[in-house]
Amino acid sequence: MKIVQIMILIILLISIIILIISFVCIRFMLITRIVSEANEVGIMKAIGISRKHIKKMFFKRYCVLIFIGGILGVILSTLMFGPLSAQMRKLYGVSPNPVSRFIFAILSAAIIAGA
C-alpha cells in the first residue's frame, strides 16, 4: 500500500510541474501576441478609442478563446478517457462513482480558465 501512495504522490508532483510550465508558456505566448498587436492598438488609439475600451476588447476576445478551449478540452478528455486510463484502472481499480469524473473535469477546466 505504501508504494501506491508514493506513486500517486509522484504523479501528482509531475502533473503540478507540467501545469506550472504550461502557465509560463501561456503567459509568454500572450505577451508575444500583445506585443505583435501593438500596431493594432496604436491604430485604435489614433482613431480615438479609449484605453479602457481597448482593454475590454482584448479581455473579451481572450475570454471567448479560453471558453472554447476549455469546452474542447473537456470534450476531448471525455472521449480519450477510456484508452488513456486503462493502465490506471488495472493498477488502482475503477471508481465507484463515475459521475464524479465529469464533475471534476468541468471543475478543473473552470479553475484553470479562471487562473
Side-chain angles (χ1 to χ4, degrees):
M1 194 66 175
K2 188 80 166 169
I3 293 175
V4 172
Q5 292 172 346
I6 292 173
M7 286 177 59
I8 291 172
L9 182 64
I10 290 172
I11 291 171
L12 180 67
L13 290 175
I14 290 172
S15 60
I16 289 172
I17 290 171
I18 291 173
L19 190 63
I20 290 170
I21 291 170
S22 298
F23 278 138
V24 171
C25 289
I26 289 171
R27 180 179 182 269
F28 286 140
M29 285 188 330
L30 285 174
I31 289 172
T32 303
R33 177 73 183 200
I34 289 172
V35 168
S36 69
E37 292 178 350
N39 290 336
E40 184 179 335
V41 172
I43 292 170
M44 286 185 205
K45 285 182 180 179
I47 292 174
I49 300 174
S50 69
R51 181 177 290 211
K52 188 176 183 180
H53 190 23
I54 293 172
K55 285 181 182 179
K56 283 182 183 179
M57 286 173 45
F58 278 101
F59 183 73
K60 287 178 185 177
R61 180 188 308 174
Y62 289 120
C63 282
V64 168
L65 290 174
I66 288 170
F67 181 74
I68 292 170
I71 290 192
L72 285 176
V74 169
I75 291 170
L76 287 175
S77 69
T78 303
L79 293 175
M80 297 300 295
F81 178 77
L84 294 178
S85 66
Q87 183 68 25
M88 286 193 338
R89 282 193 305 261
K90 286 180 186 176
L91 290 174
Y92 306 116
V94 180
S95 174
N97 188 2
V99 177
S100 65
R101 177 182 69 197
F102 297 112
I103 293 171
F104 283 123
I106 292 171
L107 184 65
S108 63
I111 290 171
I112 290 173

